Amino acid sequence: MRFSLQFVVSVVALLLALASAVAFYFAIGREFTIPLLLVAVVNLEAVAILVFLMTRGIISPLQRIRSIMGKVGEGDFRTRVGLLPTQEMQELGLALNAMISHLESVSEKEKRVDRLRTEFLSLAAHQLRTPLVEVKWALQVILDGERGTLSATQKELLQKTYASNEGMITLIGNLLDITKIEEGKYLSNLSLVQIEDMCVSIVELHAEEASRQKITLEILPPPEPLPKVLVDEEKIKLAIQSLVGNAIHYTPPGGRVTASFFSDTKEVGVAVQDTGIGIPKEEQARIFEQFFRATNAKKLGKIGTGLGLYLAKNIVEAHGGRIWFVSEEHKGSDFRMALPLR
Ligand code: ADP
């Protein structure tokens, strides 16, 4: 018959405890002798040491298991539980290892599906963009009157079609950018850039649209020269454009959009403030989610895809930066992004 170490230790501890009790009985109850008292004290100490050893034998493997589970929780599935002191613990270790292996294979499968989804999205978006751009140019030619004059109603109808087509092209463009982010090849062209110059060109790009919508668009120069940042210029431009574009898009005529800068020793950033429709408080937590659009924007019939901010967040975070906002419905919004100085 085999006894586990725990069983043997428990029996020895019990015997020692019994011996101590008897020794105490003789030492204190009947005849008080110093040797008996010593035996009792030594026995009690031996029991204490055995109990300590037993608990250490249980606690340290538990701590090992806890640290492994912590790694698994962080998505590191390479780790496994090694040999454990008792049979029960060994069984627990084997069960945990089986669970980790299962999680590892599920995670691999998910990654494969994700990769396929991204490849499909990328392919579909590329295929769709070409005909949409062709439609755009054809509509442009007709609207410019190069194929004969149009009646007012014909022109209005074609202008609406043109706007919808533009929306589709933007959506496809955003989808392509998202697939690029997901493919992990996003930050390809890093260079040191002056964020102020970048913003000035973006604001200039939106000047006509702003004046058409009777919005005052201004850019406040920084109080002192800004340090350059190491970024993928094209991508950061997309992110800032998304903030400026949104500010104009969601601000009613007569409003104001202001771009400004801030910096400290660690980061440099851009703020885009507007006096627009704002974002309802209860929806603010979801604003950077893919395809999410606030109800007030939808109610006003504002066209959008719900991808611009998701994209901006991905771009900024891929640079190790942060993006956030403060907004109040009917009052306006203040969107900010900050990039680290390396
Ligand atoms: P889109 O503008 O194409 O819908 P975005 O991802 O850029 O997508 O924005 C998501 C949503 O956030 C918008 O639909 C709108 O509801 C809200 N939003 C973004 N910027 C502003 C802003 N400056 N003012 C008010 N609402 C905004």
Side-chain angles (χ1 to χ4, degrees):
M1 194 163 32
R2 273 182 65 219
F3 297 111
S4 75
L5 180 66
Q6 258 62 34
F7 179 76
V8 175
V9 171
S10 309
V11 171
V12 173
L14 191 68
L15 289 175
L16 285 172
L18 273 173
S20 300
V22 172
F24 263 119
Y25 176 74
F26 280 113
I28 297 160
R30 291 203 181 159
E31 297 164 37
F32 177 79
T33 60
I34 299 236
L36 268 181
L37 193 61
L38 275 177
V39 169
V41 170
V42 170
N43 273 358
L44 275 180
E45 271 180 20
V47 171
I49 290 168
L50 283 172
V51 168
F52 167 75
L53 287 176
M54 264 183 72
T55 43
R56 203 180 61 164
I58 294 171
I59 287 173
S60 87
L62 280 182
Q63 277 170 340
R64 233 163 51 208
I65 290 176
R66 194 182 57 186
S67 113
I68 286 170
M69 294 322 283
K71 281 190 191 158
V72 170
E74 284 163 15
D76 177 0
F77 301 115
R78 290 163 306 171
T79 180
R80 291 288 183 278
V81 182
L83 276 179
L84 294 172
T86 67
Q87 198 186 340
E88 293 82 357
M89 282 202 182
Q90 197 52 49
E91 280 166 12
L92 174 68
L94 286 176
L96 285 177
N97 283 344
M99 191 189 80
I100 297 171
S101 299
H102 178 66
L103 286 176
E104 190 179 16
S105 76
V106 169
S107 145
E108 289 285 311
K109 225 181 267 169
E110 268 176 13
K111 275 189 204 148
R112 251 199 327 270
V113 171
D114 239 28
R115 222 178 17 246
L116 282 175
R117 187 179 58 93
T118 305
E119 277 169 20
F120 168 75
L121 205 60
S122 174
L123 189 77
H126 274 293
Q127 297 292 326
L128 283 173
R129 193 163 61 168
T130 317
L132 286 175
V133 170
E134 280 167 11
V135 170
K136 174 193 166 99
W137 294 124
L139 287 173
Q140 187 75 66
V141 167
I142 300 172
L143 277 168
D144 286 349
E146 287 177 29
R147 294 289 185 275
T149 21
L150 297 170
S151 71
T153 34
Q154 281 171 333
K155 197 163 186 175
E156 194 189 333
L157 193 65
L158 283 180
Q159 265 160 350
K160 276 189 188 152
T161 316
Y162 185 86
S164 304
N165 194 58
E166 282 291 276
M168 295 266 274
I169 291 174
T170 310
L171 172 65
I172 302 276
N174 283 338
L175 282 176
L176 279 172
D177 288 327
I178 284 166
T179 57
K180 278 188 213 150
I181 287 177
E182 289 173 352
E183 281 164 7
K185 47 173 154 156
Y186 214 63
L187 302 184
S188 43
N189 278 319
L190 290 180
S191 62
L192 271 179
V193 298
Q194 177 54 259
I195 211 159
E196 188 189 348
D197 297 344
M198 213 194 280
C199 268
V200 169
S201 68
I202 290 169
V203 164
E204 277 168 4
L205 211 80
H206 285 83
E208 201 224 289
E209 184 192 350
S211 91
R212 214 179 332 117
Q213 297 196 33
K214 315 232 169 347
I215 288 165
T216 311
L217 175 60
E218 57 179 1
I219 183 160
L220 305 179
E224 46 194 72
L226 295 171
K228 287 186 171 182
V229 269
L230 188 67
V231 295
D232 184 329
E233 191 174 350
E234 287 310 306
K235 306 301 174 290
I236 289 296
K237 256 189 190 164
L238 268 181
I240 302 176
Q241 238 164 2
S242 169
L243 300 192
V244 175
N246 277 348
I248 297 171
H249 193 52
Y250 296 111
T251 297
R256 178 179 288 269
V257 171
T258 312
S260 58
F261 307 93
F262 56 93
S263 72
D264 60 19
T265 51
K266 288 195 192 124
E267 51 186 18
V268 55
V270 182
V272 181
Q273 289 154 308
D274 66 59
T275 56
I277 60 172
I279 300 164
K281 210 161 198 59
E282 61 284 5
E283 294 180 335
Q284 291 187 1
R286 301 192 57 199
I287 223 70
F288 290 106
E289 280 177 21
Q290 228 177 136
F291 301 115
F292 184 79
R293 306 200 63 223
T295 37
N296 60 342
K298 285 193 280 188
K299 250 189 232 158
L300 284 171
K302 295 276 180 194
I303 291 175
T305 60
L307 283 173
L309 288 180
Y310 170 73
L311 186 61
K313 185 172 173 0
N314 273 283
I315 292 171
V316 172
E317 289 180 352
H319 284 82
R322 53 200 184 99
I323 183 166
W324 71 102
F325 70 94
V326 179
S327 182
E328 200 176 325
E329 208 177 350
H330 310 300
K331 288 223 166 124
S333 309
D334 179 348
F335 275 85
R336 292 178 181 229
M337 52 181 267
L339 298 163
L341 295 169
R342 284 177 232 259

